[in-house]
Amino acid sequence: MPRILDAAWPAGTTAPPGETELAIDEAAAVLARGGLVAIPTETVYGLAAVAIDPDAVRRIFEAKGRPPRNPLIVHVADIDAARALARSWPQSAERLARRFWPGPLTVVVAKREIVPDVVTAGGDTVAIRCPAHPVARRLLERLGRPLAAPSANVSLSVSPTTARHVAESLGERVELILDAGPCDRGIESTVVDCTTSPPRILRPGPIGRAEVEAAIGEAVVDGGATDAILRSPGLTGRHYAPRAPLELSADAPKRAAELVGMGRRVGLVTTDAAFAGEGRRAGAGQLVVRTLPDDPAGFARELYAALHDLDAAEVDAIVVEMPPHDEAWRAVLDRLRRAAVVSTGSELPTPQTSPATKYREEPWRSRETGT
Ligand code: TXA
Ligand code: MG
């Protein structure tokens, strides 16, 4: 097992407990000598290395089994640090950073020479965000250098929202984990490509499209799958996926019961409180239920932990209730679609810019790309 240090930072306090301060110092030391540290952010845990140290960054790719053509997000302490990495800093990036940083939003901009090619997968652009988590912020300030950090999980699997998830996924491949408890947001940041006009949402996330548009002052393009495939290989195909095959269903309880009837051990993820409590048996099969909050932020916060738990419970299949076809649920729906093998009982919502047919054509089982 990797070393896990307590890095709790009670909400509302400006200075952390002494133990957390020491843990952050130690993390800074490991990073400074080229090591890997898993750090809490408000979205998911990140696997961090000093971004301007190409050897250290290469270790991230090795640890995750991440394809080298999938670029990383660079984390910075503030807007100035972001500008230092950008060859040009468009007004859209400035407006988004001013409005949402520190926070769960990533901007893609033209990169400067100082950003190693290994970070950007050889590309000319770099994805940058300033995280809101106090531990990540303190670490970035202490270190005085940017941190490349993808989600701290083996490539293509469900992102970690607790230190335990990180340890179970990466084991000894990460030297140190800072444990600050469960992540607030629970899904990865919104990624906005600011190099195009109009800007493009490459990955939906906690900051919604309307908020992005309000901050920039113009309509943005919803990148959807097609464009993301070209600009961002990691944004497509099956990933964020649990071990057990996941189905999205408009009538999840019925579908789960069907599978149980076939003798399967089934994980059901629903917002229906009527299904709360213990799983039940039916014939040889068995049902394990996880009830999530029925608001999009609450659902997002707990979704990955539910999927990790169901994998740990060794279910044969996971059936997830189809979320409402509503803009507020877009990021959650995006992650569920990527995690899913099939979707039954309902048409997937097909917003103009996010062709469902494209998803169906994806080689789901391909392990070629991913994050
Ligand atoms: O919330 C988050 O963003 C988390 C935390 C740790 O900050 N990080 C995260 O990183 O989700 P990762 O590597 O799992 O996902 C980064 C995504 C990938 O899909 C990658 O393809 C895309 O961002 N990306 C990175 N650099 C890019 C670039 N220059 N252009 C387009 N997409 C890029
Ligand atoms: Mg990832």
Side-chain angles (χ1 to χ4, degrees), residues 244-266:
L246 184 150
E247 289 183 30
L248 268 172
S249 172
D251 192 346
K254 180 163 162 252
R255 176 64 184 148
E258 244 169 59
L259 290 168
V260 167
M262 291 157 67
R264 305 273 183 73
R265 185 170 160 82
V266 180

Side-chain angles (χ1 to χ4, degrees), residues 149-365:
S151 51
N153 54 286
V154 166
S155 193
L156 299 171
S157 63
V158 178
S159 293
T161 55
T162 67
R164 185 174 53 81
H165 298 156
V166 178
E168 282 168 2
S169 186
L170 292 175
E172 305 264 319
R173 282 174 281 183
V174 54
E175 189 169 338
L176 182 67
I177 302 173
L178 296 185
D179 181 359
C183 302
D184 255 14
R185 300 289 194 152
I187 56 169
E188 303 82 353
S189 62
T190 305
V191 179
V192 183
D193 185 349
C194 295
T195 66
T196 61
S197 186
R200 206 170 267 272
I201 296 182
L202 295 181
R203 179 173 71 183
I207 309 289
R209 179 191 176 136
E211 292 172 276
V212 168
E213 290 180 335
I216 300 180
E218 71 173 307
V220 297
V221 183
D222 220 339
T226 317
D227 298 286
I229 286 166
L230 300 173
R231 300 193 67 89
S232 200
L235 298 175
T236 187
R238 183 174 192 246
H239 64 205
Y240 309 104
R243 186 189 44 77
L246 184 150
E247 289 183 30
L248 268 172
S249 172
D251 192 346
K254 180 163 162 252
R255 176 64 184 148
E258 244 169 59
L259 290 168
V260 167
M262 291 157 67
R264 305 273 183 73
R265 185 170 160 82
V266 180
L268 169 64
V269 178
T270 174
T271 59
D272 189 341
F275 292 92
E278 277 316 291
R280 45 205 105 154
R281 286 182 167 281
Q286 200 178 343
L287 192 63
V288 184
V289 183
R290 286 294 313 254
T291 308
L292 300 189
D294 66 2
D295 65 291
F299 192 99
R301 186 184 312 117
E302 295 180 27
L303 173 63
Y304 288 166
L307 299 181
H308 281 289
D309 284 357
L310 292 173
D311 265 350
E314 301 193 319
V315 298
D316 309 311
I318 297 175
V319 182
V320 182
E321 183 180 292
M322 179 73 78
H325 299 186
D326 183 285
E327 184 60 34
W329 287 85
R330 177 174 291 266
V332 161
L333 189 60
D334 170 78
R335 300 309 188 275
L336 287 173
R337 289 162 87 184
R338 292 173 199 283
V341 184
V342 285
S343 164
T344 53
S346 166
E347 268 307 293
L348 287 173
T350 53
Q352 216 183 342
T353 45
S354 181
T357 45
K358 185 66 207 168
Y359 280 87
R360 295 216 181 86
E361 286 160 14
E362 289 300 325
W364 293 108
R365 293 292 180 184

Side-chain angles (χ1 to χ4, degrees), residues 43 66 70-71 73 75 125 127 129 150-151 188-189 203 232 235:
T43 56
R66 184 183 179 105
N70 190 5
I73 294 176
H75 299 66
T125 61
R129 93 175 180 99
S151 51
E188 303 82 353
S189 62
R203 179 173 71 183
S232 200
L235 298 175

